[in-house]
Amino acid sequence: MTTAATELVLLQANRAVHYAATRINYAEWGKGLTVPQYLEREDALQSSEFTRSGHVSWILTTAAAAAKYADAATGRIHAHVEVPEDLPILAACESFRRPGRLGDRDVPVWSIGSVFVSKDLRGKGYATVMMKKLRAELIKTAPEVGLSNLYSDIGPDYYARLGWKILPSTSLVCDAAATAPSTVPTGVTLLSRADVDTLLVPALYPPSSTPAADARTLFSMPLTPGVHDWFYQRAAFYYRQPGTPAAPTSQGARAGAGSFVVWHHAPHNKCLYLLHWRAASAGARDALLAAAALEAKAFDLAKVVAYLSDGQDVAGLPAGWRVEPREQSLSSLMMWRDGKVVEELEREVVWLGNERYAWV
């Protein structure tokens, strides 16, 4: 029997309960890994600056369990609690607090990921209850104004009904083997991890490049060294596994002043993601894309994929590159003001930097 929503509570998990939730979602996101490897990957992500500075693991459980195992004032499970049988994990997710900018003001942003319900508990409305309670918690934390983003793998409708509105979700894609040049293009310099981190200090916001006639407010999140470290740790985990090549040393490329790309190797799905790119000219853009295709080919990654954001120029793309709509990882954004969700978000806000680095 489904437990009534009034008898359910959203709690902040401690480390033990977070890892219990991680073991549960292994069935969905642990393909190709053993359970110990999956937990090792989580160790790597937990060690990153981005996680340490703003991560919260959430679970939905019963009011009885909450009364027994959590602090009523904070909603946090006590640090000493392991995972008793009478603390059911009915649904779970994670949030990452990060800085944002809305027009000329700084705003808090929460990126949501790992929303999961075990197969035997699906169809009971637990995820919906959890997301509604999470929405209320975020709004309570910053009632004046705040935003939250996620990337939906379950179509455009579910999260939209809960306040996270679907925005344009397209990717720039190439097949690396067929597209890559034989050498790094002239004028392109490959960037090490240290080079990228230097580039990202201070925190790097996407350039404001929408038409002047567009009266909507610009929203963006910065790509910071901490965010880059989260992706770097993710990739480094995979390159420590048996049978993989030595870890890549290049984390991006530069093509003159104002033109660069930061990338992320994802060998588990044979992809090189462009976390963020910007180019001062079409020629610089094409050189950076060529360097990315060559990097992917060198590491036997089948595709290069860049999530496209407003303001990025994709006119006259070089041969082999195409723009495709995404069926998964649909860009979703929620904003609230004075304690209420903004219903017609797309009429008010342009999301700059709606790129892979905003994904968690």
Side-chain angles (χ1 to χ4, degrees):
M1 180 180 296
T2 303
T3 307
T6 55
E7 299 174 7
L8 299 174
V9 178
L10 182 71
L11 296 178
Q12 295 185 35
N14 63 14
R15 182 177 177 85
V17 175
H18 168 67
Y19 273 83
T22 302
R23 288 185 183 91
I24 292 171
N25 68 42
Y26 165 79
E28 185 72 21
W29 296 305
K31 295 177 177 63
L33 300 174
T34 64
V35 172
Q37 286 174 323
Y38 191 60
L39 297 178
E40 180 190 342
R41 190 185 77 175
E42 186 59 25
D43 287 341
L45 296 177
Q46 288 290 312
S47 74
S48 73
E49 177 190 338
F50 180 53
T51 304
R52 288 184 282 108
S53 64
H55 171 263
V56 176
S57 179
W58 303 89
I59 68 162
L60 186 75
T61 192
T62 63
K68 187 174 183 180
Y69 296 113
D71 184 308
T74 64
R76 295 189 179 96
I77 296 173
H78 297 303
H80 67 272
V81 172
E82 293 298 325
V83 192
E85 290 185 2
D86 57 345
L87 179 62
I89 299 175
L90 304 176
C93 68
E94 299 176 50
S95 66
F96 295 78
R97 182 165 177 164
R98 59 207 303 177
R101 187 171 292 161
L102 184 65
D104 59 359
R105 68 183 296 179
D106 293 331
V107 292
V109 184
W110 285 267
S111 295
I112 310 301
S114 302
V115 178
F116 189 75
V117 177
S118 298
K119 284 187 177 181
D120 60 322
L121 295 175
R122 293 177 188 174
K124 302 176 185 293
Y126 291 142
T128 298
V129 173
M130 178 180 68
M131 296 305 289
K132 286 181 177 179
K133 289 181 179 292
L134 177 60
R135 180 185 66 197
E137 186 69 26
L138 300 182
I139 293 173
K140 183 178 73 174
T141 303
E144 183 180 359
V145 65
L147 296 99
S148 174
N149 77 296
L150 57 80
Y151 289 86
S152 173
D153 289 335
I154 55 174
D157 299 329
Y158 177 76
Y159 290 111
R161 290 195 297 268
L162 297 169
W164 284 268
K165 304 300 184 182
I166 294 290
L167 296 179
S169 303
T170 57
S171 294
L172 181 61
V173 180
C174 86
D175 300 312
T179 307
S182 56
T183 60
V184 176
T186 302
V188 171
T189 303
L190 296 179
L191 301 176
S192 67
R193 181 187 182 190
D195 294 332
V196 168
D197 287 348
T198 299
L199 191 68
L200 302 182
V201 177
L204 190 70
Y205 281 88
S208 301
S209 54
T210 56
D214 193 332
R216 294 176 295 171
T217 303
L218 302 182
F219 163 68
S220 60
M221 295 176 280
L223 174 54
T224 65
V227 172
H228 179 243
D229 179 58
W230 189 83
F231 284 97
Y232 177 87
Q233 296 299 338
R234 193 180 185 92
F237 158 78
Y238 282 102
Y239 284 105
R240 288 195 297 269
Q241 304 311 306
T244 58
T249 58
S250 297
Q251 302 299 315
R254 184 195 292 272
S259 300
F260 63 88
V261 60
V262 179
W263 54 52
H264 164 62
H265 301 76
H268 58 296
N269 59 12
K270 306 285 284 185
C271 186
L272 182 77
Y273 287 106
L274 306 190
L275 298 180
H276 174 67
W277 63 273
R278 62 178 67 181
S281 66
R285 177 202 65 191
D286 295 353
L288 292 173
L289 295 179
L294 184 61
E295 178 76 7
K297 182 180 179 181
F299 283 87
D300 195 29
L301 304 178
K303 292 183 181 297
V304 180
V305 176
Y307 290 9
L308 286 177
S309 175
D310 281 298
Q312 290 180 317
D313 179 17
V314 291
L317 289 169
W321 289 87
R322 59 194 182 274
V323 175
E324 296 181 349
R326 292 199 301 275
E327 296 182 358
Q328 300 283 309
S329 200
L330 303 179
S331 306
S332 307
L333 186 68
M334 174 172 63
M335 183 173 79
W336 58 90
R337 184 188 301 113
D338 298 327
K340 295 182 179 179
V341 173
V342 175
E343 293 298 332
E344 296 187 338
L345 178 70
E346 62 278 8
R347 294 179 178 270
E348 293 198 29
V349 171
V350 177
W351 179 5
L352 299 180
N354 176 12
E355 297 178 85
R356 183 70 179 185
Y357 77 84
W359 174 93
V360 294

